[in-house]
Structures are given as C-alpha cells and as structure tokens.
C-alpha cells in the first residue's frame, strides 16, 4: 500500500511540475490533450443529439428550473437528463485542460508570446462555447444555434492543433518546405474542408436527429442537401489526391507526404461511413462515428498545412523574414 501511495505521489508531483515548471515537451503533451478533449466533447455532443437528450436539462445554466444538478422533472427521462448533464460536466474538463495549457505556456522559460496567445484562445473559446450552449437550450435546439455550436468546437480544435504544432518548433520566420503553388493548394484544400463541415451542419439540421422532438428543422429537401454535401466531398477528395500527387512528384519531405496520405485515408473511411449511414436510414451509432470522422478530417487537414512549412528547431532565434516567403502559420 505504501508503494502505491508513493507512486501516486510521484505522479502527482510530476503532473504539477509539467504545469508549473513545464518543458517544451510537457506543454506539447498538454496541447495534444486539449486536441483530444475538444474532439471528444464534439463527439459526445453528437451523442446527446442522437439519443434525443438535447433538452434533457430543459434550462440553462440550471439543469432544471429549481436545480443545477439532475432532479426529477415532469416529462423528461432520467437517462436523457443524465446524458445532457454529463456532457455539460465535460465542459469543465475541457476548460481545465485549456487553463492548464495557458498556465504552462505562461510559465514556460523562455516565454514564447505566440504560444501564450494561442493558449488564451482555449479558455476564452470554452467560455464562449458554454454561453452559446445556453442559447442552444433556450432556443429549443434551433438548428442554426446547434450548427454554430459545432462550428465553434471546430474553431477550438484548430486553435489546439496550432498550439500543438507551434509548441514543437522554434520561432524563426516560417519557411516553405514545398513549392509555393503546392502550399497554396494546401490552403485551398483546408478551405474546402471547412466548407464541407458547414455543409454537413446543414445536412444535420435537415435530417432526423434533432436532439428532441420539440426541436425545429431546416426546411430544405434532405435529398438535395445530401447531394450537395456529397459533391463537396468529391471536391475535397480530389484536391487531397492532387496534393498528394504533387507532394510525391516534387519530392516533398516525407512527413508532409505522410500527412497528406493520412488525410486521404481518413477521408475515404469517412466517405464509407457516410454512404453506409445514408443507405441504412441514418442509424444513431453511425451518426456519432461520422461526427468523429469529421473532426479527424479537420485535424488531419490542418496537420497537412503545418507539415508544409517550418519555423526551425525549438532553439531557433526569432527572425522576421523567411528564406522563401513570409507566411503566418
């Protein structure tokens, strides 16, 4: 028993030191934890919707008009209330990880202002997301507010991925590792993925899983919006294949080619899930898998962009002009 206690104490000390006296590696691990946490709560949010638990807690910030925690309420299943309240509790975990990233970035020596600025986006974004979640509840799951709720999560994931990438490199001016036109193609691909996510939000707001029987739906024809969504998928996959081919024939760095190949594989897997869920009349489990796939496609697309440039090793000095061109990522 004493051995287990000493081991737990050592782990606690190491954990606290990774926050209060962080190394670049420790900060990068916390940034990765933030990516996972934000992707995870995006998926659990989909679980709330497909289990018809969107109004399991019918008020906000309280769960019920008289209680901040689940309590018996007429017309609401205890299971639905637990699912919705559990998702609300996960927000505090995501916030805690975001605050840890911020403290670690501020305590890192030497302090890197770029990392501090990126880290600030997490607690601010989680707070905004929480407030918007209240609007989602108060609007009775209006598809516009629900869609924006998802898109805010996508923005938070982008901030976390940026922190993860930047914490593993130096602060020299960015330099291209690929031809300028290939890098431009990477930006176009990322923009196309963003459009695809918005189109997916429209499909979701038109489809059957509203989160509650009281929720309204977009008045679009479901067949039409699904076809538009599928067309954008073809564009994204085509751009990805073109980017992968360009990286290969131009002898781009191996990590950039692997990032593009990973993105293509995730897109193809996501496409299979999308078609299967469509032909099986959108079962709840596959909806959750599709949302997970959407977040992975987004993360992989961002990874491709970061893989096509460098800011030098961690100990590189700050400069103001790159060897090839100036970029902001």
């Amino acid at each position: 028993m004493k051995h287990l206690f000493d081991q737990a104490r050592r782990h606690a000390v190491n954990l606290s030191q990774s926050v209060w006296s962080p190394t670049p590696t420790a900060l990068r691990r916390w940034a990765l934890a933030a990516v996972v946490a934000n992707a995870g709560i995006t998926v659990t949010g989909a679980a709330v919707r497909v289990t018809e638990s969107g109004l399991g807690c019918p008020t906000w910030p309280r769960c019920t008009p008289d209680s901040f925690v689940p309590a018996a309420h007429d017309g609401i299943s205890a299971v639905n209330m637990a699912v919705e309240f559990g998702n609300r509790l996960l927000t505090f975990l995501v916030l805690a990880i975001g605050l840890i990233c911020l403290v670690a970035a501020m305590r890192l020596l030497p302090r890197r202002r770029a990392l501090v600025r990126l880290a600030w986006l997490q607690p601010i974004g989680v707070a905004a997301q929480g407030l918007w979640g209240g609007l989602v509840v108060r609007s009775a799951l209006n598809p516009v507010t629900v869609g924006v709720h998802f898109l805010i999560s996508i923005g938070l994931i982008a901030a976390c991925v940026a922190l993860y990438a930047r914490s593993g490199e130096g602060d020299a001016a960015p330099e291209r590792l690929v031809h300028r036109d290939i890098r431009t193609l990477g930006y176009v691909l990322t923009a196309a993925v963003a459009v695809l996510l918005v189109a997916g939000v429209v499909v979701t707001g038109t489809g059957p899983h509203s989160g509650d029987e009281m929720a309204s739906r977009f008045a679009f024809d479901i067949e039409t919006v699904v076809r538009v969504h599928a067309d954008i998928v073809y564009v994204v996959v085509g751009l990805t294949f073109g980017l992968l081919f360009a990286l290969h024939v131009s002898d781009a760095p191996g990590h950039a080619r692997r990032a593009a190949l990973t993105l293509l594989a995730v897109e193809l897997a996501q496409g299979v899930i999308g078609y299967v869920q469509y032909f099986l009349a959108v079962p709840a489990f596959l909806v959750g898998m599709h949302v997970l796939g959407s977040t992975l496609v987004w993360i992989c697309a961002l990874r491709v962009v970061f893989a096509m440039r460098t800011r030098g090793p961690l100990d590189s000095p700050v400069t103001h002009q790159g060897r090839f061109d100036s970029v902001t990522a």
Side-chain angles (χ1 to χ4, degrees), residues 17-318:
Q17 287 180 341
S18 72
V19 179
W20 198 246
S21 302
T23 63
T25 299
L27 175 57
R28 197 161 196 241
R29 288 173 178 169
W30 282 116
L32 179 59
V35 174
V36 174
N38 279 277
I41 199 170
T42 302
V43 176
T44 60
V48 171
R49 179 164 52 82
V50 298
T51 57
E52 299 294 319
S53 302
L55 294 178
C57 287
T59 63
W60 189 93
R62 290 182 171 87
C63 182
T64 66
D66 302 318
S67 175
F68 282 96
V69 298
H73 192 73
D74 292 342
I76 297 180
S77 162
V79 173
N80 289 344
M81 188 175 291
V83 170
E84 164 64 3
F85 186 73
N87 193 63
R88 291 189 184 189
L89 289 181
L90 285 178
T91 301
F92 293 99
L93 174 62
V94 178
L95 177 60
I97 295 175
L99 289 172
I100 287 172
C101 288
L102 176 59
V103 172
M106 296 181 71
R107 294 286 301 175
L108 184 68
L109 296 176
R111 178 181 290 191
R112 299 172 60 190
R113 286 182 296 176
L115 299 186
V116 174
R117 287 195 295 266
L118 286 171
W120 265 112
L121 294 176
Q122 293 188 45
I124 292 174
V126 173
Q129 182 75 304
L131 293 173
W132 191 268
L135 180 60
V136 171
V137 173
R138 291 177 177 271
S139 68
L141 308 184
N142 182 282
V144 173
T145 61
V146 173
V148 173
H149 201 42
F150 172 79
L151 295 177
I152 293 174
S153 293
I154 291 300
L156 273 170
I157 290 172
C160 295
V161 171
L163 179 62
Y164 175 76
R166 292 288 287 112
S167 60
E169 60 188 9
D171 287 321
E175 297 180 1
R176 288 186 288 108
L177 297 175
V178 299
H179 189 277
R180 180 181 61 250
D181 294 340
I182 297 177
R183 184 157 170 78
T184 299
L185 178 58
Y187 284 129
V188 172
L189 170 60
T190 305
V193 172
V195 173
L196 177 62
L197 294 174
V198 174
V201 165
V202 176
V203 173
T204 298
T206 309
H209 295 289
S210 63
D212 190 273
E213 60 182 14
M214 294 176 57
S216 59
R217 303 273 78 199
F218 287 129
F220 303 124
D221 176 66
I222 186 64
E223 295 285 344
T224 300
V225 294
V226 166
R227 286 190 184 120
V228 171
H229 181 66
D231 289 342
I232 300 173
V233 169
Y234 296 141
V235 172
V236 168
V237 172
L239 289 172
T240 305
F241 183 81
L243 177 64
L244 182 60
F245 180 78
L247 291 171
H248 179 75
V249 298
S250 64
D251 197 26
H255 69 280
R257 283 180 284 169
R258 288 191 297 271
L261 182 61
T262 301
L263 173 60
L264 181 62
V266 173
E267 289 172 352
L268 294 177
Q270 174 75 332
V272 170
I273 294 173
Y275 273 105
V276 171
Q277 74 168 1
Y278 177 76
F279 287 112
L280 293 182
V282 200
F285 174 74
L286 287 181
V287 172
M289 292 295 296
H290 201 59
V291 172
L292 174 61
S294 297
T295 61
L296 292 178
V297 168
W298 179 236
I299 291 169
C300 290
L302 295 172
R303 180 170 171 252
V304 168
V305 172
F306 282 107
M308 291 192 292
R309 96 286 180 272
T310 180
R311 285 179 175 267
L314 279 172
D315 58 353
S316 60
V318 176

